[in-house]
PDB file of all heavy atoms in Angstrom:
ATOM      1  N   HIS A   1      40.044  16.649 -10.372  1.00  0.00           N
ATOM      2  CA  HIS A   1      40.030  15.543 -11.330  1.00  0.00           C
ATOM      3  C   HIS A   1      38.680  15.609 -12.026  1.00  0.00           C
ATOM      4  O   HIS A   1      37.652  15.599 -11.342  1.00  0.00           O
ATOM      5  CB  HIS A   1      40.169  14.192 -10.636  1.00  0.00           C
ATOM      6  CG  HIS A   1      41.320  14.107  -9.671  1.00  0.00           C
ATOM      7  ND1 HIS A   1      41.274  14.629  -8.411  1.00  0.00           N
ATOM      8  CD2 HIS A   1      42.555  13.546  -9.794  1.00  0.00           C
ATOM      9  CE1 HIS A   1      42.421  14.395  -7.783  1.00  0.00           C
ATOM     10  NE2 HIS A   1      43.221  13.746  -8.606  1.00  0.00           N
ATOM     11  N   PHE A   2      38.668  15.660 -13.328  1.00  0.00           N
ATOM     12  CA  PHE A   2      37.437  15.895 -14.059  1.00  0.00           C
ATOM     13  C   PHE A   2      36.695  14.582 -14.299  1.00  0.00           C
ATOM     14  O   PHE A   2      37.207  13.722 -14.996  1.00  0.00           O
ATOM     15  CB  PHE A   2      37.750  16.573 -15.393  1.00  0.00           C
ATOM     16  CG  PHE A   2      36.593  17.309 -15.983  1.00  0.00           C
ATOM     17  CD1 PHE A   2      36.283  18.584 -15.551  1.00  0.00           C
ATOM     18  CD2 PHE A   2      35.800  16.732 -16.951  1.00  0.00           C
ATOM     19  CE1 PHE A   2      35.214  19.279 -16.085  1.00  0.00           C
ATOM     20  CE2 PHE A   2      34.721  17.410 -17.489  1.00  0.00           C
ATOM     21  CZ  PHE A   2      34.427  18.693 -17.055  1.00  0.00           C
ATOM     22  N   ALA A   3      35.530  14.470 -13.746  1.00  0.00           N
ATOM     23  CA  ALA A   3      34.835  15.355 -12.815  1.00  0.00           C
ATOM     24  C   ALA A   3      34.061  14.477 -11.836  1.00  0.00           C
ATOM     25  O   ALA A   3      33.707  13.334 -12.135  1.00  0.00           O
ATOM     26  CB  ALA A   3      33.876  16.263 -13.545  1.00  0.00           C
ATOM     27  N   GLY A   4      33.806  15.055 -10.634  1.00  0.00           N
ATOM     28  CA  GLY A   4      32.985  14.388  -9.642  1.00  0.00           C
ATOM     29  C   GLY A   4      33.710  13.413  -8.753  1.00  0.00           C
ATOM     30  O   GLY A   4      33.081  12.652  -8.015  1.00  0.00           O
ATOM     31  N   TYR A   5      35.047  13.430  -8.773  1.00  0.00           N
ATOM     32  CA  TYR A   5      35.824  12.493  -7.963  1.00  0.00           C
ATOM     33  C   TYR A   5      35.513  12.650  -6.474  1.00  0.00           C
ATOM     34  O   TYR A   5      35.537  11.683  -5.717  1.00  0.00           O
ATOM     35  CB  TYR A   5      37.303  12.752  -8.254  1.00  0.00           C
ATOM     36  CG  TYR A   5      38.312  11.815  -7.634  1.00  0.00           C
ATOM     37  CD1 TYR A   5      37.996  10.512  -7.267  1.00  0.00           C
ATOM     38  CD2 TYR A   5      39.623  12.232  -7.455  1.00  0.00           C
ATOM     39  CE1 TYR A   5      38.948   9.665  -6.726  1.00  0.00           C
ATOM     40  CE2 TYR A   5      40.585  11.400  -6.915  1.00  0.00           C
ATOM     41  CZ  TYR A   5      40.243  10.118  -6.541  1.00  0.00           C
ATOM     42  OH  TYR A   5      41.188   9.285  -6.004  1.00  0.00           O
ATOM     43  N   GLY A   6      35.213  13.873  -6.047  1.00  0.00           N
ATOM     44  CA  GLY A   6      34.925  14.105  -4.636  1.00  0.00           C
ATOM     45  C   GLY A   6      33.632  13.484  -4.153  1.00  0.00           C
ATOM     46  O   GLY A   6      33.354  13.493  -2.947  1.00  0.00           O
ATOM     47  N   ALA A   7      32.833  12.960  -5.063  1.00  0.00           N
ATOM     48  CA  ALA A   7      31.559  12.332  -4.683  1.00  0.00           C
ATOM     49  C   ALA A   7      31.675  10.816  -4.607  1.00  0.00           C
ATOM     50  O   ALA A   7      30.667  10.105  -4.703  1.00  0.00           O
ATOM     51  CB  ALA A   7      30.474  12.715  -5.690  1.00  0.00           C
ATOM     52  N   ALA A   8      32.884  10.317  -4.410  1.00  0.00           N
ATOM     53  CA  ALA A   8      33.089   8.867  -4.332  1.00  0.00           C
ATOM     54  C   ALA A   8      32.127   8.244  -3.323  1.00  0.00           C
ATOM     55  O   ALA A   8      31.968   8.735  -2.209  1.00  0.00           O
ATOM     56  CB  ALA A   8      34.528   8.564  -3.937  1.00  0.00           C
ATOM     57  N   ARG A   9      31.521   7.174  -3.711  1.00  0.00           N
ATOM     58  CA  ARG A   9      30.494   6.538  -2.889  1.00  0.00           C
ATOM     59  C   ARG A   9      31.056   6.157  -1.519  1.00  0.00           C
ATOM     60  O   ARG A   9      32.094   5.507  -1.406  1.00  0.00           O
ATOM     61  CB  ARG A   9      29.979   5.283  -3.605  1.00  0.00           C
ATOM     62  CG  ARG A   9      28.626   4.798  -3.112  1.00  0.00           C
ATOM     63  CD  ARG A   9      28.254   3.483  -3.783  1.00  0.00           C
ATOM     64  NE  ARG A   9      28.120   3.579  -5.231  1.00  0.00           N
ATOM     65  CZ  ARG A   9      26.979   3.848  -5.854  1.00  0.00           C
ATOM     66  NH1 ARG A   9      25.891   4.113  -5.158  1.00  0.00           N
ATOM     67  NH2 ARG A   9      26.931   3.870  -7.181  1.00  0.00           N
ATOM     68  N   GLY A  10      30.353   6.593  -0.457  1.00  0.00           N
ATOM     69  CA  GLY A  10      30.760   6.270   0.905  1.00  0.00           C
ATOM     70  C   GLY A  10      32.033   6.967   1.347  1.00  0.00           C
ATOM     71  O   GLY A  10      32.600   6.623   2.381  1.00  0.00           O
ATOM     72  N   GLY A  11      32.507   7.953   0.560  1.00  0.00           N
ATOM     73  CA  GLY A  11      33.765   8.599   0.893  1.00  0.00           C
ATOM     74  C   GLY A  11      34.979   7.709   0.681  1.00  0.00           C
ATOM     75  O   GLY A  11      36.071   8.041   1.120  1.00  0.00           O
ATOM     76  N   ARG A  12      34.780   6.583  -0.007  1.00  0.00           N
ATOM     77  CA  ARG A  12      35.868   5.628  -0.218  1.00  0.00           C
ATOM     78  C   ARG A  12      36.634   6.002  -1.479  1.00  0.00           C
ATOM     79  O   ARG A  12      36.072   6.003  -2.578  1.00  0.00           O
ATOM     80  CB  ARG A  12      35.306   4.201  -0.327  1.00  0.00           C
ATOM     81  CG  ARG A  12      34.628   3.700   0.940  1.00  0.00           C
ATOM     82  CD  ARG A  12      34.097   2.278   0.767  1.00  0.00           C
ATOM     83  NE  ARG A  12      33.041   2.230  -0.222  1.00  0.00           N
ATOM     84  CZ  ARG A  12      31.739   2.411   0.056  1.00  0.00           C
ATOM     85  NH1 ARG A  12      31.360   2.658   1.294  1.00  0.00           N
ATOM     86  NH2 ARG A  12      30.849   2.346  -0.904  1.00  0.00           N
ATOM     87  N   ASP A  13      37.906   6.331  -1.307  1.00  0.00           N
ATOM     88  CA  ASP A  13      38.720   6.759  -2.433  1.00  0.00           C
ATOM     89  C   ASP A  13      38.690   5.707  -3.539  1.00  0.00           C
ATOM     90  O   ASP A  13      38.770   4.502  -3.270  1.00  0.00           O
ATOM     91  CB  ASP A  13      40.158   6.987  -1.965  1.00  0.00           C
ATOM     92  CG  ASP A  13      40.864   8.037  -2.798  1.00  0.00           C
ATOM     93  OD1 ASP A  13      40.250   8.549  -3.745  1.00  0.00           O
ATOM     94  OD2 ASP A  13      42.020   8.350  -2.486  1.00  0.00           O
ATOM     95  N   TYR A  14      38.567   6.182  -4.768  1.00  0.00           N
ATOM     96  CA  TYR A  14      38.553   5.400  -6.009  1.00  0.00           C
ATOM     97  C   TYR A  14      37.194   4.758  -6.299  1.00  0.00           C
ATOM     98  O   TYR A  14      36.998   4.231  -7.397  1.00  0.00           O
ATOM     99  CB  TYR A  14      39.623   4.291  -6.030  1.00  0.00           C
ATOM    100  CG  TYR A  14      41.019   4.728  -5.661  1.00  0.00           C
ATOM    101  CD1 TYR A  14      41.869   3.870  -4.980  1.00  0.00           C
ATOM    102  CD2 TYR A  14      41.508   5.987  -6.004  1.00  0.00           C
ATOM    103  CE1 TYR A  14      43.154   4.254  -4.646  1.00  0.00           C
ATOM    104  CE2 TYR A  14      42.786   6.375  -5.666  1.00  0.00           C
ATOM    105  CZ  TYR A  14      43.616   5.513  -4.981  1.00  0.00           C
ATOM    106  OH  TYR A  14      44.893   5.883  -4.647  1.00  0.00           O
ATOM    107  N   ASP A  15      36.257   4.769  -5.343  1.00  0.00           N
ATOM    108  CA  ASP A  15      34.954   4.184  -5.638  1.00  0.00           C
ATOM    109  C   ASP A  15      34.187   5.050  -6.643  1.00  0.00           C
ATOM    110  O   ASP A  15      34.505   6.215  -6.866  1.00  0.00           O
ATOM    111  CB  ASP A  15      34.135   4.017  -4.360  1.00  0.00           C
ATOM    112  CG  ASP A  15      34.372   2.672  -3.701  1.00  0.00           C
ATOM    113  OD1 ASP A  15      35.364   2.016  -4.049  1.00  0.00           O
ATOM    114  OD2 ASP A  15      33.580   2.278  -2.824  1.00  0.00           O
ATOM    115  N   ASP A  16      33.149   4.458  -7.239  1.00  0.00           N
ATOM    116  CA  ASP A  16      32.382   5.140  -8.268  1.00  0.00           C
ATOM    117  C   ASP A  16      31.553   6.282  -7.691  1.00  0.00           C
ATOM    118  O   ASP A  16      31.345   6.375  -6.479  1.00  0.00           O
ATOM    119  CB  ASP A  16      31.463   4.138  -8.970  1.00  0.00           C
ATOM    120  CG  ASP A  16      30.502   3.468  -8.008  1.00  0.00           C
ATOM    121  OD1 ASP A  16      30.964   2.699  -7.130  1.00  0.00           O
ATOM    122  OD2 ASP A  16      29.286   3.716  -8.113  1.00  0.00           O
ATOM    123  N   ALA A  17      31.076   7.152  -8.573  1.00  0.00           N
ATOM    124  CA  ALA A  17      30.263   8.301  -8.171  1.00  0.00           C
ATOM    125  C   ALA A  17      29.018   8.361  -9.041  1.00  0.00           C
ATOM    126  O   ALA A  17      29.089   8.178 -10.259  1.00  0.00           O
ATOM    127  CB  ALA A  17      31.057   9.593  -8.306  1.00  0.00           C
ATOM    128  N   GLU A  18      27.903   8.595  -8.405  1.00  0.00           N
ATOM    129  CA  GLU A  18      26.633   8.813  -9.101  1.00  0.00           C
ATOM    130  C   GLU A  18      26.195  10.246  -8.803  1.00  0.00           C
ATOM    131  O   GLU A  18      25.901  10.591  -7.667  1.00  0.00           O
ATOM    132  CB  GLU A  18      25.568   7.821  -8.627  1.00  0.00           C
ATOM    133  CG  GLU A  18      25.784   6.398  -9.101  1.00  0.00           C
ATOM    134  CD  GLU A  18      25.439   6.226 -10.582  1.00  0.00           C
ATOM    135  OE1 GLU A  18      24.560   6.973 -11.079  1.00  0.00           O
ATOM    136  OE2 GLU A  18      26.051   5.357 -11.227  1.00  0.00           O
ATOM    137  N   ILE A  19      26.174  11.083  -9.824  1.00  0.00           N
ATOM    138  CA  ILE A  19      25.906  12.502  -9.645  1.00  0.00           C
ATOM    139  C   ILE A  19      24.822  12.933 -10.624  1.00  0.00           C
ATOM    140  O   ILE A  19      24.931  12.705 -11.836  1.00  0.00           O
ATOM    141  CB  ILE A  19      27.181  13.334  -9.898  1.00  0.00           C
ATOM    142  CG1 ILE A  19      28.309  12.861  -8.984  1.00  0.00           C
ATOM    143  CG2 ILE A  19      26.915  14.817  -9.664  1.00  0.00           C
ATOM    144  CD1 ILE A  19      29.643  13.518  -9.285  1.00  0.00           C
ATOM    145  N   SER A  20      23.783  13.579 -10.127  1.00  0.00           N
ATOM    146  CA  SER A  20      22.739  14.089 -11.009  1.00  0.00           C
ATOM    147  C   SER A  20      23.290  15.242 -11.838  1.00  0.00           C
ATOM    148  O   SER A  20      24.284  15.886 -11.477  1.00  0.00           O
ATOM    149  CB  SER A  20      21.545  14.584 -10.184  1.00  0.00           C
ATOM    150  OG  SER A  20      21.883  15.775  -9.486  1.00  0.00           O
ATOM    151  N   ASP A  21      22.643  15.531 -12.951  1.00  0.00           N
ATOM    152  CA  ASP A  21      23.065  16.666 -13.763  1.00  0.00           C
ATOM    153  C   ASP A  21      22.936  17.968 -12.986  1.00  0.00           C
ATOM    154  O   ASP A  21      23.757  18.881 -13.153  1.00  0.00           O
ATOM    155  CB  ASP A  21      22.230  16.737 -15.048  1.00  0.00           C
ATOM    156  CG  ASP A  21      22.695  15.732 -16.090  1.00  0.00           C
ATOM    157  OD1 ASP A  21      23.769  15.137 -15.902  1.00  0.00           O
ATOM    158  OD2 ASP A  21      21.988  15.544 -17.091  1.00  0.00           O
ATOM    159  N   SER A  22      21.935  18.075 -12.145  1.00  0.00           N
ATOM    160  CA  SER A  22      21.764  19.288 -11.346  1.00  0.00           C
ATOM    161  C   SER A  22      22.962  19.505 -10.429  1.00  0.00           C
ATOM    162  O   SER A  22      23.515  20.608 -10.349  1.00  0.00           O
ATOM    163  CB  SER A  22      20.479  19.202 -10.519  1.00  0.00           C
ATOM    164  OG  SER A  22      20.339  20.341  -9.693  1.00  0.00           O
ATOM    165  N   GLU A  23      23.379  18.449  -9.736  1.00  0.00           N
ATOM    166  CA  GLU A  23      24.548  18.579  -8.871  1.00  0.00           C
ATOM    167  C   GLU A  23      25.816  18.808  -9.671  1.00  0.00           C
ATOM    168  O   GLU A  23      26.694  19.579  -9.267  1.00  0.00           O
ATOM    169  CB  GLU A  23      24.703  17.326  -7.996  1.00  0.00           C
ATOM    170  CG  GLU A  23      24.011  17.423  -6.663  1.00  0.00           C
ATOM    171  CD  GLU A  23      24.665  16.516  -5.634  1.00  0.00           C
ATOM    172  OE1 GLU A  23      24.921  15.345  -5.971  1.00  0.00           O
ATOM    173  OE2 GLU A  23      24.909  16.984  -4.511  1.00  0.00           O
ATOM    174  N   LEU A  24      25.945  18.143 -10.802  1.00  0.00           N
ATOM    175  CA  LEU A  24      27.140  18.315 -11.616  1.00  0.00           C
ATOM    176  C   LEU A  24      27.326  19.778 -11.990  1.00  0.00           C
ATOM    177  O   LEU A  24      28.395  20.362 -11.781  1.00  0.00           O
ATOM    178  CB  LEU A  24      27.052  17.451 -12.877  1.00  0.00           C
ATOM    179  CG  LEU A  24      28.229  17.602 -13.849  1.00  0.00           C
ATOM    180  CD1 LEU A  24      29.495  17.007 -13.257  1.00  0.00           C
ATOM    181  CD2 LEU A  24      27.899  16.959 -15.201  1.00  0.00           C
ATOM    182  N   TRP A  25      26.279  20.388 -12.554  1.00  0.00           N
ATOM    183  CA  TRP A  25      26.401  21.748 -13.076  1.00  0.00           C
ATOM    184  C   TRP A  25      26.398  22.803 -11.977  1.00  0.00           C
ATOM    185  O   TRP A  25      27.096  23.819 -12.080  1.00  0.00           O
ATOM    186  CB  TRP A  25      25.284  22.023 -14.079  1.00  0.00           C
ATOM    187  CG  TRP A  25      25.483  21.266 -15.355  1.00  0.00           C
ATOM    188  CD1 TRP A  25      24.902  20.089 -15.720  1.00  0.00           C
ATOM    189  CD2 TRP A  25      26.355  21.617 -16.428  1.00  0.00           C
ATOM    190  NE1 TRP A  25      25.348  19.682 -16.947  1.00  0.00           N
ATOM    191  CE2 TRP A  25      26.238  20.608 -17.414  1.00  0.00           C
ATOM    192  CE3 TRP A  25      27.210  22.686 -16.659  1.00  0.00           C
ATOM    193  CZ2 TRP A  25      26.959  20.645 -18.605  1.00  0.00           C
ATOM    194  CZ3 TRP A  25      27.924  22.724 -17.850  1.00  0.00           C
ATOM    195  CH2 TRP A  25      27.800  21.709 -18.805  1.00  0.00           C
ATOM    196  N   ASN A  26      25.619  22.577 -10.920  1.00  0.00           N
ATOM    197  CA  ASN A  26      25.504  23.600  -9.877  1.00  0.00           C
ATOM    198  C   ASN A  26      26.570  23.497  -8.794  1.00  0.00           C
ATOM    199  O   ASN A  26      26.885  24.494  -8.145  1.00  0.00           O
ATOM    200  CB  ASN A  26      24.122  23.530  -9.220  1.00  0.00           C
ATOM    201  CG  ASN A  26      23.014  23.960 -10.142  1.00  0.00           C
ATOM    202  OD1 ASN A  26      23.157  24.940 -10.884  1.00  0.00           O
ATOM    203  ND2 ASN A  26      21.904  23.231 -10.144  1.00  0.00           N
ATOM    204  N   VAL A  27      27.125  22.299  -8.600  1.00  0.00           N
ATOM    205  CA  VAL A  27      28.042  22.096  -7.479  1.00  0.00           C
ATOM    206  C   VAL A  27      29.448  21.735  -7.938  1.00  0.00           C
ATOM    207  O   VAL A  27      30.428  22.370  -7.527  1.00  0.00           O
ATOM    208  CB  VAL A  27      27.503  21.000  -6.529  1.00  0.00           C
ATOM    209  CG1 VAL A  27      28.504  20.714  -5.402  1.00  0.00           C
ATOM    210  CG2 VAL A  27      26.160  21.420  -5.948  1.00  0.00           C
ATOM    211  N   TYR A  28      29.584  20.731  -8.798  1.00  0.00           N
ATOM    212  CA  TYR A  28      30.898  20.175  -9.092  1.00  0.00           C
ATOM    213  C   TYR A  28      31.651  20.871 -10.225  1.00  0.00           C
ATOM    214  O   TYR A  28      32.888  20.858 -10.253  1.00  0.00           O
ATOM    215  CB  TYR A  28      30.779  18.676  -9.393  1.00  0.00           C
ATOM    216  CG  TYR A  28      30.430  17.883  -8.164  1.00  0.00           C
ATOM    217  CD1 TYR A  28      29.111  17.557  -7.858  1.00  0.00           C
ATOM    218  CD2 TYR A  28      31.412  17.490  -7.264  1.00  0.00           C
ATOM    219  CE1 TYR A  28      28.783  16.856  -6.705  1.00  0.00           C
ATOM    220  CE2 TYR A  28      31.106  16.794  -6.116  1.00  0.00           C
ATOM    221  CZ  TYR A  28      29.780  16.479  -5.838  1.00  0.00           C
ATOM    222  OH  TYR A  28      29.473  15.789  -4.688  1.00  0.00           O
ATOM    223  N   LEU A  29      30.946  21.490 -11.156  1.00  0.00           N
ATOM    224  CA  LEU A  29      31.628  22.099 -12.291  1.00  0.00           C
ATOM    225  C   LEU A  29      32.069  23.549 -12.101  1.00  0.00           C
ATOM    226  O   LEU A  29      33.030  23.982 -12.762  1.00  0.00           O
ATOM    227  CB  LEU A  29      30.748  22.002 -13.545  1.00  0.00           C
ATOM    228  CG  LEU A  29      30.570  20.600 -14.130  1.00  0.00           C
ATOM    229  CD1 LEU A  29      29.757  20.659 -15.414  1.00  0.00           C
ATOM    230  CD2 LEU A  29      31.917  19.924 -14.390  1.00  0.00           C
ATOM    231  N   PRO A  30      31.421  24.358 -11.252  1.00  0.00           N
ATOM    232  CA  PRO A  30      31.853  25.762 -11.141  1.00  0.00           C
ATOM    233  C   PRO A  30      33.334  25.973 -10.862  1.00  0.00           C
ATOM    234  O   PRO A  30      33.945  26.861 -11.489  1.00  0.00           O
ATOM    235  CB  PRO A  30      30.963  26.308 -10.011  1.00  0.00           C
ATOM    236  CG  PRO A  30      29.690  25.537 -10.158  1.00  0.00           C
ATOM    237  CD  PRO A  30      30.144  24.138 -10.514  1.00  0.00           C
ATOM    238  N   PRO A  31      34.000  25.187  -9.995  1.00  0.00           N
ATOM    239  CA  PRO A  31      35.439  25.414  -9.827  1.00  0.00           C
ATOM    240  C   PRO A  31      36.241  25.119 -11.091  1.00  0.00           C
ATOM    241  O   PRO A  31      37.239  25.803 -11.370  1.00  0.00           O
ATOM    242  CB  PRO A  31      35.807  24.448  -8.684  1.00  0.00           C
ATOM    243  CG  PRO A  31      34.539  24.261  -7.927  1.00  0.00           C
ATOM    244  CD  PRO A  31      33.481  24.240  -8.983  1.00  0.00           C
TER     245      PRO A  31
END
């Protein structure tokens, strides 16, 4: 799901995600 859904706060499904640009580009976007 574009993008960063797996970083849901506290592992709680549907909760918001706060992701730095570094993590976004290096971790979440490559797949």
Side-chain angles (χ1 to χ4, degrees):
H1 309 79
F2 202 82
Y5 186 25
R9 199 185 298 269
R12 296 180 295 271
D13 209 358
Y14 310 146
D15 270 16
D16 59 293
E18 288 286 331
I19 304 173
S20 71
D21 282 349
S22 177
E23 269 205 313
L24 177 69
W25 289 98
N26 291 319
V27 176
Y28 290 95
L29 290 184

